Amino acid sequence: MDALVLLGSFAVLMIIGMPVAYALGLSALIGAWWIDLPYDAVMIAIASGVNKFSLLAIPFFVLAGAIMAEGGMSRRLIAFAEVLVGFVRGGLSLVNILASTFFGAISGSAMADTASIGSVMVPEMEKKGYPRDFATAVTVSGSVQAILIPPSHNAVIYSLAAGGSVSIAALFLAGVLPGLLLGLTLAAMCLVIARKRNFPAGRRIPMKEALRICADALWGLMTMVIILGGILSGVFTATESAAVAVVWAFFVTMFIYRDYKWTELPKLAHRTVKTLAIVMILIGFAASFGYIMTLMQIPTLITNLFTSVSDNKYTVLLMINILLLVLGTLMDMAPLILIMTPILLPIVTSLGVDPVHFGMIMMVNLGMGLITPPVGGVLFVGAAVAKLPIEQVVKALLPFFAALMTVLIAVTYIPALSMWLPNLLLK
């Protein structure tokens, strides 16, 4: 009955249209009232949820990505990607995916990736003879890489939801190979489609111009080196690397590229703070919701339910994948990570699945949810940037869902994809 009250009140609040964060907080209060828990305990859980040093990584990474996105970095990364792969048949679709790889390694945000890369690449691809819906589908699916490739904001949230027991550095490294595999899979699909639909080949960029483009993009690409290099060398933690990335992004944007006006900085800071306020409210209320779930022993009940169906690790992972894929179409990624991690993590760890590996399984699953209707935030951004109906974009995305599903299966059942780099570099 306890679980029905808590989860039922949350479902009802969501159905009537209440924002997820407030639905979590209010249902936590309802749950506390039901079990006669003082409301002070709920308030303490909310405060404890946001009072964590590791959470500072999120605002720093968001700010660094915003500075680079609005400071002309996306345009330079697209030019750099064009030098590398733009000359083959269907090359602009590969440029799109590769630019998303680079930009995702700077912004850590699929939405920022879609907005920045899409605003440049969709019109350019259409001008060169690509269907607008295909260009949008490439942009939207390619942006899922930003969820996997470090510095992923969602990896930080997963570490928090796991109680801080999972290293952010390990999660960053674990996302490298799955992220690159996703990019390669999407690129292979684009090449097949390009040959089938006879898309044009791009031009070969002269050596002198190519060297200039590479030198121009190098300043932004150094952000990746600073983040991962600093963490792996032990010079600074993941949180400290985020702060250093902000300083570097500010220096490159304002003093090297000089495409951004100083008068625009306060507006950028204001937008960043608004975004972060939403995230921090969500994290605090989700912490209180998780606290009430723990008191009601809901994670234990769900663990027993899963293990009563099967004690085979691969079968349980299949069931969890189906559950996450369905939930990912109905809710945004961050709240799902905060709600489902405390429930599902004990199940998979009891079956011998590494928490870092499971983090990557969740990232791919819920990343697919971001581009799936009816609540796919990245899908909506892509459609808005391209000025296309959602239905048309979804239809163009269907082949790319097959590629994403292939990557999900590989990440789920080949643990080495996630664990090889952390085991190699963090021993």
Side-chain angles (χ1 to χ4, degrees), residues 336-409:
L336 275 175
I337 292 173
L338 292 165
I339 294 169
M340 298 307 297
T341 300
I343 295 174
L344 298 178
L345 190 58
I347 299 173
V348 296
T349 52
S350 69
L351 296 173
V353 178
D354 191 281
V356 174
H357 175 210
F358 183 65
M360 293 304 106
I361 295 173
M362 285 197 79
M363 295 299 120
V364 179
N365 268 298
L366 301 182
M368 291 177 66
L370 289 178
I371 64 171
T372 307
V375 193
V378 173
L379 172 64
F380 295 153
V381 171
V385 168
K387 297 179 175 63
L388 289 175
I390 295 292
E391 298 81 5
Q392 188 175 347
V393 179
V394 171
K395 185 177 179 181
L397 270 170
L398 291 178
F400 296 92
F401 282 128
L404 287 161
M405 191 63 71
T406 301
V407 173
L408 173 60
I409 293 169

Side-chain angles (χ1 to χ4, degrees), residues 107-133:
S107 72
S109 167
M111 285 194 183
D113 191 320
T114 299
S116 298
I117 302 298
S119 61
V120 178
M121 287 302 303
V122 171
E124 182 66 18
M125 289 178 70
E126 185 179 34
K127 188 169 70 176
K128 295 294 174 64
Y130 295 79
R132 194 173 186 84
D133 57 354

Side-chain angles (χ1 to χ4, degrees), residues 286-352:
S288 66
F289 187 85
Y291 173 63
I292 301 298
M293 278 201 307
T294 302
L295 293 179
M296 292 180 172
Q297 298 185 325
I298 293 174
T300 303
L301 293 173
I302 296 177
T303 299
N304 293 337
L305 176 63
F306 270 96
T307 53
S308 67
V309 175
S310 175
D311 59 357
N312 182 282
K313 175 172 68 174
Y314 303 107
T315 303
V316 172
L317 285 175
L318 175 62
M319 291 190 294
I320 288 174
N321 276 339
I322 294 171
L323 174 65
L324 291 175
L325 285 171
V326 172
L327 291 176
T329 66
L330 302 174
M331 284 180 64
D332 202 7
M333 186 170 189
L336 275 175
I337 292 173
L338 292 165
I339 294 169
M340 298 307 297
T341 300
I343 295 174
L344 298 178
L345 190 58
I347 299 173
V348 296
T349 52
S350 69
L351 296 173

Side-chain angles (χ1 to χ4, degrees), residues 108 110 146-147 151-159 171 333-334 337 363 370:
I147 294 165
S152 168
H153 309 157
N154 292 291
V156 179
I157 294 174
Y158 173 78
S159 174
L171 289 168
M333 186 170 189
I337 292 173
M363 295 299 120
L370 289 178

Side-chain angles (χ1 to χ4, degrees), residues 20-32:
V20 175
Y22 299 127
L24 286 169
L26 188 54
S27 56
L29 289 174
I30 293 171

